[in-house]
Amino acid sequence: MFARWTSSWSVSRKRLTAMLLGGLILIAVSAFFLFWWPSLIAPNSTSPTPEAAGNLNQNKNRDGLTEKSPAGNVGDTADTPAPTATSEESGAAESPAPGALPPTPATTQPTLTTVMNSKSLGAVVFDSVTATCPSGTVAVGGGFRGAESSRFFASYLTGNGWYVRAVNGTLSSSNIYAYVQCVANIRGLVNVTTATTSIATAGNGTVNKDCPSGSTVISGGFDNTQNELAITFSTRVNNGWRVNADSSVLSSQSLKVLTNCYSGGNVSVTQILETAEVPAGWTGTKEAACSSGLTIMGGFASSAQAFSSYFMTISSKWKTAVYNRGSSTTNMKAYTYCATFS
């Protein structure tokens, strides 16, 4: 019909009509791509396929970057789990794996501290001094030190310290020293048990006191309240402490032994013995160090007068010193006691 209708047109008219129809078709196609085509393809352009999303994430990770969602965006919590605090962030202890044993707490070992206190004594003056352990430690032993002219009449544990009493036998001032051995981190307690004897005029005597059953002797001491006796022996014997003394005065003298007993924990005490001969008018000294355990106490046995029995912190040795006032050579025995607490 269109052909019959246009059969009478001239060639120029047909050519013009074709050009107009082509222009209209071109306009229609352009309008389609400009207005309708973007709305048709927009949903697909914002949601990449899983393969495309995976490639995108791989590219981001390859660059060392991690995309984060803005905080507070609605809809983020549906796909992203809420952050969970770790044990370090929350402060809670991490639960052990099934069947695993709980960690074993570290064991604190006993430690030794030596405390010294001193006092200056005038000529021919009797006096005393006490060294006290710091808080958190237990007094387990102690000793004394003075000049050769010093004579010690008492050396024993009192409270949480060590007490000594002496006389300065010279015409000038002289110092006396008290030492106490203090141990921390032990489970047991130290209890003192005593015994007293009387020594007749110009005689000698011995007094001994054992620890009660279930406890162990770790140290001991002596006391002569009249300040006249020469202490010749102070040391451990079996599970007790023994003291000997000589008297040269014309009155009866009391001699007390004080035995320090450890209970409520385990302790093993070993003894080191050293001997020497001391000529008349000479001083004899002996020193010993514990190869194991803590050095807690010393002892002595000699007719020569003991003027020092103490722990030297610089060398970690127990030192015993005696002065032979007699006219002939005499023997000395020096004891060192080493304790292992458990």
Side-chain angles (χ1 to χ4, degrees):
M1 181 179 186
F2 180 76
R4 195 172 27 177
W5 180 46
T6 60
S7 58
S8 59
W9 289 3
S10 62
V11 173
S12 58
R13 186 178 181 183
K14 291 180 179 180
R15 192 175 293 167
L16 178 61
T17 301
M19 291 176 63
L20 290 173
L21 290 174
L24 291 173
I25 293 172
L26 181 61
I27 292 171
V29 171
S30 299
F32 175 78
F33 280 100
L34 286 174
F35 298 102
W36 288 286
W37 182 253
S39 63
L40 294 176
I41 65 172
N44 294 330
S45 65
T46 58
S47 300
T49 64
E51 293 80 3
N55 293 336
L56 179 60
N57 291 336
Q58 289 177 4
N59 292 335
K60 290 178 179 178
N61 292 337
R62 194 177 297 121
D63 295 336
L65 301 175
T66 302
E67 185 176 5
K68 296 183 180 180
S69 300
N73 284 355
V74 178
D76 290 346
T77 57
D79 297 327
T80 305
T84 303
T86 64
S87 59
E88 291 182 356
E89 293 169 344
S90 64
E94 185 177 354
S95 300
L101 295 176
T104 302
T107 302
T108 304
Q109 297 297 321
T111 56
L112 177 68
T113 301
T114 300
V115 178
M116 181 270 290
N117 195 14
S118 65
K119 180 174 287 189
S120 178
L121 275 61
V124 198
V125 169
F126 293 80
D127 211 338
S128 62
V129 62
T130 301
T132 303
C133 286
S135 176
T137 64
V138 178
V140 297
F144 57 90
R145 177 167 68 95
E148 292 180 353
S149 59
S150 301
R151 294 182 61 184
F152 285 85
F153 303 104
S155 176
Y156 58 86
L157 188 149
T158 177
N160 201 36
W162 199 266
Y163 168 92
V164 302
R165 188 176 66 254
V167 61
N168 172 19
T170 66
L171 297 179
S172 59
S173 62
S174 179
N175 288 342
I176 61 171
Y177 301 83
Y179 294 80
V180 61
Q181 302 297 89
C182 313
V183 178
N185 306 318
I186 56 176
R187 294 182 297 171
L189 300 174
V190 179
N191 296 300
V192 181
T193 182
T194 67
T196 304
T197 190
S198 180
I199 299 179
T201 302
N204 58 70
T206 300
V207 60
N208 185 88
K209 184 64 176 179
D210 289 337
C211 286
S213 176
S215 61
T216 303
V217 58
I218 56 172
S219 60
F222 55 87
D223 186 19
N224 168 225
T225 56
Q226 294 95 340
N227 301 326
E228 295 286 356
L229 296 177
I231 309 299
T232 59
F233 187 102
S234 178
T235 192
R236 173 179 173 167
V237 176
N238 298 321
N239 196 36
W241 201 265
R242 179 178 295 173
V243 176
N244 296 357
D246 292 336
S247 175
S248 59
V249 296
L250 300 178
S251 60
S252 178
Q253 298 286 312
S254 68
L255 177 64
K256 178 189 286 187
V257 62
L258 300 96
T259 304
N260 306 320
C261 308
Y262 183 77
S263 61
N266 297 322
V267 63
S268 174
V269 181
T270 58
Q271 173 184 283
I272 301 173
L273 170 61
E274 293 186 314
T275 62
E277 290 189 345
V278 184
W282 284 62
T283 294
T285 62
K286 281 294 180 182
E287 301 173 2
C290 294
S291 59
S292 62
L294 306 177
T295 307
I296 58 169
M297 189 65 193
F300 57 88
S302 179
S303 59
Q305 186 77 42
F307 62 88
S308 290
S309 178
Y310 69 102
F311 183 70
M312 300 183 296
T313 56
I314 295 177
S315 62
S316 296
K317 294 181 177 180
W318 194 275
K319 180 177 181 177
T320 302
V322 301
Y323 178 59
N324 186 1
R325 303 174 186 272
S327 57
S328 60
T329 298
T330 188
N331 292 327
M332 70 169 289
K333 293 181 179 180
Y335 301 87
T336 301
Y337 296 102
C338 314
T340 300
F341 297 89
S342 60

